[in-house]
Amino acid sequence: MDFSLSDTQQMLRDTAARLIRERYGFEARAKILASADGFSREMWATFAELGLLGVELPEELGGIGGSFQDLAIVLEAFGRGMVVEPFIPTVVLGAGLLRAAGSEAQKSELLPRLAEGRLFLAFAHGEPRSRYSLTHVTATATGGADGYTLDGAKAVVLGGDCADVLIVSARTAGKPDSRDGLSLFLVERGAPGLKIRGYSTVDGTRAAEVTLAGVRVPRSALLGPEGGAFPFIQQALDRGIAALCSEAVGNMQALNEVTLDYLKTRTQFGVPIGSFQVLQHHMVDMYIAQEQARSMAILAADRADSPDAPARTKAISAAKVQIGRSGRFVGQWAIQLHGGIGTTMEYSAGHYFKRLTAIDRTFGDADFHLSRFATLDAA
Amino acid sequence: MDFSLSDTQQMLRDTAARLIRERYGFEARAKILASADGFSREMWATFAELGLLGVELPEELGGIGGSFQDLAIVLEAFGRGMVVEPFIPTVVLGAGLLRAAGSEAQKSELLPRLAEGRLFLAFAHGEPRSRYSLTHVTATATGGADGYTLDGAKAVVLGGDCADVLIVSARTAGKPDSRDGLSLFLVERGAPGLKIRGYSTVDGTRAAEVTLAGVRVPRSALLGPEGGAFPFIQQALDRGIAALCSEAVGNMQALNEVTLDYLKTRTQFGVPIGSFQVLQHHMVDMYIAQEQARSMAILAADRADSPDAPARTKAISAAKVQIGRSGRFVGQWAIQLHGGIGTTMEYSAGHYFKRLTAIDRTFGDADFHLSRFATLDAA
Amino acid sequence: MDLNYTPEELAFADEVRQWVRAHLPPETRERVLHHKRLGKEEQVEWQRRLHARGWGGPRWPKEYGGPGWNSVQQHLFDEVLSEEGAPPALPFGLSMIGPVLMAFGSQAQKDYYLPRILRQDDWWCQGFSEPGSGSDLASLRMKAELDGGEWVLNGQKTWTTLGQHANMIFLLARTDPAAKKQQGISMLLADMSTPGITLRPIITVDGEHEVNEVFFDNVRVPKENLVGAPGMGWSYAKFLLSHERTNIARIGRSKSELTRLKRIATEETADGVPLIQTPGFREKIAAVEIELMALELTNLRMIAAERAGQAPGAEANMLKIKGSEIQQTLTELMMEAVGPYALPYNPEAREPGWHGEPIGPEYAAPLGPDYFNYRKVTIYGGSNEIQRNILAKAVLGL
Amino acid sequence: MDLNYTPEELAFADEVRQWVRAHLPPETRERVLHHKRLGKEEQVEWQRRLHARGWGGPRWPKEYGGPGWNSVQQHLFDEVLSEEGAPPALPFGLSMIGPVLMAFGSQAQKDYYLPRILRQDDWWCQGFSEPGSGSDLASLRMKAELDGGEWVLNGQKTWTTLGQHANMIFLLARTDPAAKKQQGISMLLADMSTPGITLRPIITVDGEHEVNEVFFDNVRVPKENLVGAPGMGWSYAKFLLSHERTNIARIGRSKSELTRLKRIATEETADGVPLIQTPGFREKIAAVEIELMALELTNLRMIAAERAGQAPGAEANMLKIKGSEIQQTLTELMMEAVGPYALPYNPEAREPGWHGEPIGPEYAAPLGPDYFNYRKVTIYGGSNEIQRNILAKAVLGL
């Protein structure tokens, strides 16, 4: 048992922390949000330069050959900065799926570009009626040896707005809610029949509604085995959840610091409001919520790449429940302790709160994962 | 809309309050608990003298012809006193069932005795595996024109310990969980084959496990229509719940008063502990919980005898949820605010807490009724 | 004891309902029920229609143009209007400065301002909070100095709701710098177009412009714009805040929001089952519905006590606490109900004239922002922590 | 970072497990796991067996007869013993007065008392709380006056856990009445059989006799029974309470209680479905299981920090807060699980030798009483409110 950081991890932590501190302050982020893309391509190039896009990639593909735990260190720092660039869609989901399911040709074509910051990916899986279900896929892929035709609609595709290549899940067989018959396809932006409607999300990141109407892709666009994509999809989303957990911990810790600082400096009735016992106890409970969340984020990062799917999934669901509940508690109380100022755009607390709220809505909320955990447990 | 008390209600309130104040103090109650029966027959005689046993009964049967709301006034006072005599089993459930389902002969034989304090009743309905289900009855009654033979087991029969007559539910037809085929029977204490194992409950009232092995009863022991007892059972338990709600409000209010008094008089660190803001806010929330519970107890009493079963049942379930949640909150926090002293037998707070806990376990807990309410609502 | 309304009360409610259905513009109703933005003109027009019917000031006494209703009628009126999707009444004139002027204003102020409030000739806003004084109003620093026949105002106000629409402001300022905290504060009225007043929007995290900062730089207002006596502003403000409690539980509105939640939970599905039939979510809806039932009865008990001549004391603060918690739970459940579709930010969809294609279900657009917006209801009008302090002291004697 | 135990650590845990399985009397194990009462002899016998194996003081240093384990080994030892149903270690000697004597006792006290603690020759109890001083220990009033070669004790102690079994008590008394609150308090040891000491049971609401009042009426104890220096009792007590935090989260025990809850929820049914498969109850179990997983990891993080030489500060108080809340939730869910069978009160069923017919399921008898009993865990050892005060001050700087 060892909770200490490796040398690589310490290096990554320091690098990411310095970047956020020096170039991703509240004002800088506000400018990025107000830009045309809603994120910064320049910042993305900096991520590439610093090696943050290739943490998990092998050296021969331009990476540093690290683990998911190494990546989690970066994500925690990004949580503190509320980084809006499409890091989870591209690096955690996209690169993760390519590494797990891709052919050598697919990997060697795409992953070096990704490590260099020249490729955005997005995972187009959820559908308008799927809510948080992993298997409710009604998009279809027909054809075979000479390529496929894709039809369907994909909902709230994170990073879908700017993705160069979409990884689209579609049915080559099976009933709408079956685990069998799911396949993944690489679809280039600009493919005829592909429509991407981009938009901001409430927390300032970007997403898209995607429709596919007779989109033709070659046989080589198939990612992984035809009809056998479910385990890859499940693992990709488990990785996505683990990433959100680490990000949420950075977010919560920063929000707690801002709130604690406010309690110490804001005076009312002639004393700092942090001298009121009720506010002190809420702050203590927010700190405990953060530490409990941190423990579960560590677990999630440890398990994210485990091949033991049932155990992994159970740990990941447990972590998402804890993150959802802690994030809700910390977020709501941070606003309450701030009073009016916490509800304004000009102050960081409300933005952290929105991001924590969005994280709970992403890849299954606390109730969904509590139920999944309970079902796995009873099984 | 009118929340004021009628003259009868004011009279009942004053009578019951005086009785509790003068003769049912904490010490007096402790003596009653320590007695052989676990309750006071003398006290029961006093209830009879004061007319409290016949509030709902028509004058010709020895009552005062009042409503359930009138009875609720008495129950609230009894909640304050934590009265352990089998009032709900005898007066609310037993007399209620007799009035609703009984023949003129049954009523005129039993109800005057009951009003005079010479008859204890109990409703033997729940079974070892029924939990809170109203229809899970596996006890059977076979026979017909020349009488019935009863077989089965009844669980946690409130007041079963001292009942002179048990009202036993049994199947004359139908599957174990069906609404159809349920019948009620009057079974005299001492009937051959009837075994009553009495015991104390955690809150100091009395109950019994009842087994029936070939118990013979005459045809005239049938209470209400053969096979058609379900509506009577449902209404009886709705009345029982409404009674518990009123009792719980008296209980909560007394417990809050005791706790508030403790906060004002107990000093630590040189000041009354009620000067600590965290304890103040908990006390405020306990007060709010009590008032919300009071509102729902008023609703439950208003609806207890309504013939509109779906609307009644929904209101009763809502009330039981509120009572369960408020009672749990008030009870747990009352102990916490008291500290050690609240956990001792010598002090009233712990006894109120136990009674509130027992009330949540009786006739369906908050979760059971939340689910019932939600199901009725979606229907 | 009788929990039912009398036939007369039911007939009254029915009369109100029929009238509202006949006179509330359908597009206004639609916007209110679907949480789209309301235009200023729309709001003014509705108040004028109410006033024309004699219902412009449902809590006002007859002598000032009110209908002279009792507390049950006032409650029923609120309920029906909420259920029918009428725009919520603006409190600033009707329930804030109006009652203060009735109680403490000069005859001239009453004669001039009160009819204008009923007709919505003036849109009032409030100037109490300052950047340094949130819950602690007594620490305010805005100054008003008498110079010739005029008060000269200097300072800053904040959290001024809908100040962008207002032409009048009532405010607290320190007129006697030597006096101790609460003393030396006076209440003044100012025309928003007076030179020296500037307004800066505060954009809240939901992206909306609802509140403002208001700056006063040597703003000169007539001497007559003082309300009542100098130095009494603090006690008038307390009087005002106790009036603002009216309808603070917002039960009628929460009931219509509960209906909306159920409608959404009927549309939304998880694994093909409507959320409203899914254990878990179904029970969460039931839990808030029961809380709301209880609060409605608690409110009715207080209304009955009020009609019986018992002025509600600080117990009424529990209506604020529970009422605001219920409002927040409802917005949270609606956001939860749409799952991932709580994420898209689509403010255009809330514009009165927008007819674009929605992102996800058509009801989704306001749900995320409303959840963020409604965090305010446990903060404004005295945070719930302040409400508990008051209850602890006034009701429990702690 | 590696969340797995090392092979050496796993081998250690396995060694402990095998030994416990071979040496824990099955009937003791049964009673612990089913929440029946443990006899005094049974408790003593278990401690002696542990001691014979060299494991009598798992946190004690080698020089005083401990095994000299690191924090991970200590944690694993606690875990395994909890899981295997060993009687919980009595804290009074091992984790309370023992460490105080090691740090501050005279050589004679160490030589005499420490081995006796490991062998359980003495059963110690604690005399800190007084009727007037719960959380506020500094306000205590018990007096100790030096008279010749002896201290004369007068006063009253309360909440003395298992005092009915004890032959020795350590206590705080005021030796200098002139000194200010915390000063003037000393720590003393007394033989419970000294004339003038009387014990009165306190029966708690669950009907059990676990705590006592202890009265001192001119009780004379030798001068040598003073611990350390006079007037230093307050700081020794703080030292002691910080040691008592060890294993305060009681995670091993909560894990075995979770297993017990799941077993009960598998037996119990609602409408024929086992509770553990019923949505609602299933999710309640899952929620506490996740809380416990998180707390276990939080605890391991602190243990790792401790092994790395960082003494855990007040952050450890969060283990007490969360750990006690989880224990209470578990007792509450077990009580809920049995529904109406939480009502019968059947204390005989908890007696070691009882073999009567249970009322309802055989596991039901302790569930109601345990729920009532466990309210204490958020009260004793510094209530959770006090823990939050400490965290606010020491960790957050508020």
Side-chain angles (χ1 to χ4, degrees), chain D residues 13 25 48 56 67 104 107 126 139 161 203 224 285 312 348 355 387:
Chain D
R48 290 194 175 148
F104 311 109
Q107 194 58 47
Q126 183 189 37
S139 72
T161 303
I203 306 301
E224 302 76 49
I285 297 176
E348 315 82 65
H355 290 102
Q387 304 294 336

Side-chain angles (χ1 to χ4, degrees), chain B residues 160-194:
Chain B
D161 200 22
C162 65
D164 301 300
V165 176
L166 296 168
I167 301 174
V168 176
S169 63
R171 288 211 165 272
T172 44
K175 298 225 175 94
D177 288 297
S178 164
R179 290 188 172 197
D180 297 323
L182 294 171
S183 305
L184 296 173
F185 299 93
L186 299 167
V187 180
E188 303 263 344
R189 178 181 206 84
L194 177 70

Side-chain angles (χ1 to χ4, degrees), chain C residues 358-392:
Chain C
I359 301 171
E362 47 89 20
Y363 44 73
L367 302 183
D370 278 352
Y371 169 67
F372 301 126
N373 183 281
Y374 267 64
R375 305 320 300 172
K376 73 185 175 192
V377 300
T378 50
I379 294 170
Y380 66 26
S383 74
N384 282 12
E385 286 72 42
I386 297 284
Q387 304 293 337
R388 287 188 172 88
N389 284 349
I390 295 170
L391 268 164

